[in-house]
Amino acid sequence: MKKKIMILPGDGIGPEVAQEGRRVLEHVGRHFGHSFEINEGLIGGHSLDTYGEPLTDEVLQQCKDADAVLLGAVGGPKWDQNPGELRPEKALLKLRKELGLFANLRPVEVLAPLATASPLKKEIVADVDLLVVRELTGGLYFGKKEQGQTPGGENWAVDELIYSEHEVERIAHVAFQTARKRRNKVTSVDKANVLESSRLWRATVERVHTEYPDVELEHMLVDNAAMQLIRSPKQFDVVVTENMFGDILSDEASVLAGSIGLMPSASLSASAGLGLYESVHGSAPDIAGQEKANPLATILSVAMLLRHSFDLNPEAQLIEKAVKQVIKDGYRTLDIGQGETVGETQVLGTTDMTDAVISRLDQSITQTEKVK
Ligand code: IPM
Ligand code: MG
């Protein structure tokens, strides 16, 4: 298979984890005889420093021309005081919008040996396996934004929360279709007791649901969902929600898995194939350049890339299996290295953790070849 991949390392720990993702991608490519043409480009703060803008038209075009995009992370204190248009995060929002990446999949799977890595009780988090399907190109993030001043001299600001039916319809389809491949349950999260946009959301999700009678649908108000997620997370299979709620709930859900450093994501468009893959964690500037970052979220994002953009399911599964094995074998990064553990564990740096994954990959490839 011949594919073009654009890698955007970004800021903070972004370049470190992107580099590790690239190693795993190239390794798998070599083993399976795929030809992956990889290009890299600047995004976020690094692009601001070099070109004066968070995402240049050239890099955007390169992403559009690629078959998939792998992103490190963007942002950092250096650019925190910049106006909205010149913030590193703007690059990410522009990419999502320009590439039409409306469906953001954020799986949360609690690996058995890490059930004690979460601050929540083991009985609550063990066996959790849920998927947040976050709408990614609408709502508050992309509504009209304005700041002004009253005649009396008081400053005001407004962010518009707007959704059109087609935006809700297409994300609802993604949720129902994904649920069919899982445990057939969708929880649609909104604030329909207060927000007009949520009432449209709920009615639209219900209408789309009539096409999926085999899938169970429930509605949940977002405040309750925030509570249920930590009270009894096992009740969830697919959680579908609008952009802002999804941003908040997916960070909350990451706590179940023990660390946000384990959470991959896929942002998909309507045109089959093209997607953007990134860890859910941010650029963590405080630990950048110290070999402390957990590369597993990015490595798992590479697995999602292979599955969703290239339809390479066996390759994706192999990576996921290798990550699970590494954890089972007792290897940890700092973020998951503390707390109560069963058996021996060893804390590794970013590069060594990736090496451990690659060696497990090789082991299972050798085993598969023997079976053949
Ligand atoms: C995320 C991040 C982004 C978001 C930021 C960096 C703009 O928090 O992907 O969850 O809010 O969507
Ligand atoms: Mg977020």
Side-chain angles (χ1 to χ4, degrees):
M1 181 177 277
K2 238 182 130 152
K3 292 284 181 190
K4 264 195 198 165
I5 298 134
M6 184 68 184
I7 298 189
L8 304 172
D11 312 316
I13 59 169
E16 298 160 50
V17 293
Q19 163 67 22
E20 303 309 313
R22 177 175 184 152
R23 280 173 60 207
V24 171
L25 185 64
E26 288 179 328
H27 196 82
V28 169
R30 262 195 306 276
H31 261 292
F32 288 87
H34 304 304
S35 133
F36 294 149
E37 182 193 323
I38 301 178
N39 286 303
E40 293 201 7
L42 294 184
I43 189 170
H46 278 86
S47 177
L48 275 163
D49 287 352
T50 311
Y51 302 114
E53 50 181 323
L55 180 71
T56 61
D57 289 344
E58 284 78 5
V59 173
L60 176 61
Q61 192 55 46
Q62 278 180 294
C63 292
K64 285 182 176 168
D65 294 340
D67 298 301
V69 182
L70 180 69
L71 184 111
V74 292
K78 183 174 176 194
W79 310 281
D80 267 352
Q81 302 312 317
N82 287 13
E85 287 301 306
L86 293 177
R87 290 186 62 104
E89 292 82 0
K90 182 71 196 179
L92 194 52
L93 302 182
K94 190 168 162 191
L95 257 183
R96 289 172 179 170
K97 196 68 172 181
E98 290 276 337
L99 299 183
L101 306 170
F102 71 91
N104 184 216
L105 311 185
R106 299 188 160 184
V108 182
E109 192 185 339
V110 176
L111 306 180
L114 290 180
T116 50
S118 167
L120 295 170
K121 288 198 190 85
K122 189 175 171 213
E123 310 81 82
I124 291 181
V125 299
D127 302 321
V128 162
D129 180 6
L130 62 88
L131 174 74
V132 178
V133 175
R134 169 188 176 194
E135 199 293 323
L136 204 59
T137 50
L140 278 171
Y141 278 62
F142 295 96
K144 204 168 64 195
K145 298 179 185 307
E146 219 186 318
Q147 287 206 30
Q149 210 171 47
T150 63
E154 189 186 3
N155 293 329
W156 55 261
V158 61
D159 294 280
E160 178 189 49
L161 200 185
I162 180 165
Y163 269 105
S164 301
E165 262 178 317
H166 79 275
E167 294 177 291
V168 186
E169 273 165 16
R170 61 187 183 182
I171 194 76
H173 281 293
V174 171
F176 289 122
Q177 279 161 19
T178 318
R180 276 187 172 161
K181 295 186 207 142
R182 297 172 48 95
R183 300 192 306 279
N184 265 305
K185 183 179 171 188
V186 169
T187 305
S188 173
V189 172
D190 61 37
K191 187 71 185 171
N193 54 347
V194 177
L195 301 178
E196 217 45 73
S197 57
S198 279
R199 288 192 269 271
L200 177 78
W201 178 280
R202 193 176 279 216
T204 310
V205 170
E206 275 183 359
R207 190 156 33 71
V208 174
H209 181 227
T210 58
E211 293 175 46
Y212 303 87
D214 52 313
V215 181
E216 184 193 341
L217 168 68
E218 69 174 1
H219 300 283
M220 198 178 276
L221 297 174
V222 64
D223 44 354
N224 185 28
M227 181 173 73
Q228 296 299 332
L229 257 181
I230 49 167
R231 217 171 87 148
S232 56
K234 269 175 252 187
Q235 67 183 288
F236 297 108
D237 179 14
V238 172
V239 177
V240 64
T241 191
E242 65 92 45
N243 205 344
M244 181 74 156
F245 296 160
D247 178 45
I248 298 168
L249 293 181
S250 58
D251 264 35
E252 187 191 1
S254 76
V255 173
L256 306 169
S259 166
I260 199 165
L262 292 165
M263 296 259 303
S265 83
S267 305
L268 308 174
S269 65
S271 62
L274 183 60
L276 178 139
Y277 301 84
E278 56 173 323
S279 54
V280 174
H281 65 69
S283 59
D286 52 320
I287 59 160
Q290 300 166 41
E291 275 288 310
K292 287 181 179 167
N294 185 346
L296 296 182
T298 305
I299 292 172
L300 290 169
S301 301
V302 168
M304 292 189 91
L305 182 157
L306 293 170
R307 175 177 294 123
H308 292 282
S309 281
F310 303 166
D311 213 12
L312 294 175
N313 216 23
E315 285 84 338
Q317 274 172 351
L318 212 64
I319 295 178
E320 286 159 355
K321 201 175 133 199
V323 167
K324 282 181 190 162
Q325 191 59 47
V326 160
I327 297 290
K328 207 168 154 199
D329 291 347
Y331 294 110
R332 303 284 184 269
T333 40
L334 261 186
D335 54 321
I336 45 175
Q338 268 104 32
E340 178 201 337
T341 45
V342 184
E344 292 267 301
T345 59
Q346 193 188 341
V347 173
L348 300 180
T350 312
T351 320
D352 289 344
M353 189 58 154
T354 311
D355 286 342
V357 173
I358 290 178
S359 89
R360 301 308 177 283
L361 265 174
D362 287 341
Q363 277 169 17
S364 23
I365 291 171
T366 323
Q367 275 164 13
T368 329
E369 276 163 5
K370 272 193 195 138
V371 173
K372 277 187 199 156

